Amino acid sequence: MPGNLTTVKVWLFFIETPQGQYRVHFRSKAINVNAVAKAFNGGGHPLASGAFVPDLVTVGQVIEQMQAQVLAATAVD
């Protein structure tokens, strides 16, 4: 659904695992999300990547880095 909204640049899904860590799904139609996924030992493709993070503190860091990535990418547009 988020990908159908014209104003959405990227979207992230955080799914808590039974072990208490979080699986992160990074998605975008235009902005490279793989760089942020790699920063958290994940990876994938430029517009679809994933990672596992250990806790909610790290979830916050993922969000902050993705916001910075979006700002940097949209400043160029």
Side-chain angles (χ1 to χ4, degrees):
M1 280 299 244
N4 293 328
L5 301 172
T6 58
T7 58
V8 172
K9 304 291 184 192
V10 301
W11 57 101
L12 308 175
F13 291 103
F14 297 89
I15 301 167
E16 186 175 10
T17 68
Q19 298 78 25
Q21 60 182 342
Y22 294 85
R23 172 80 166 109
V24 187
H25 296 268
F26 299 81
R27 299 292 184 270
S28 176
K29 287 192 231 176
I31 296 173
N32 185 342
V33 295
N34 193 36
V36 177
K38 283 184 177 180
F40 292 91
N41 299 314
H45 302 282
L47 303 180
S49 296
F52 283 95
V53 296
D55 52 39
L56 288 173
V57 171
T58 312
V59 165
Q61 294 169 352
V62 169
I63 294 168
E64 288 174 5
Q65 285 196 28
M66 186 54 64
Q67 287 173 328
Q69 181 80 1
V70 169
L71 286 174
T74 55
V76 175
D77 290 343

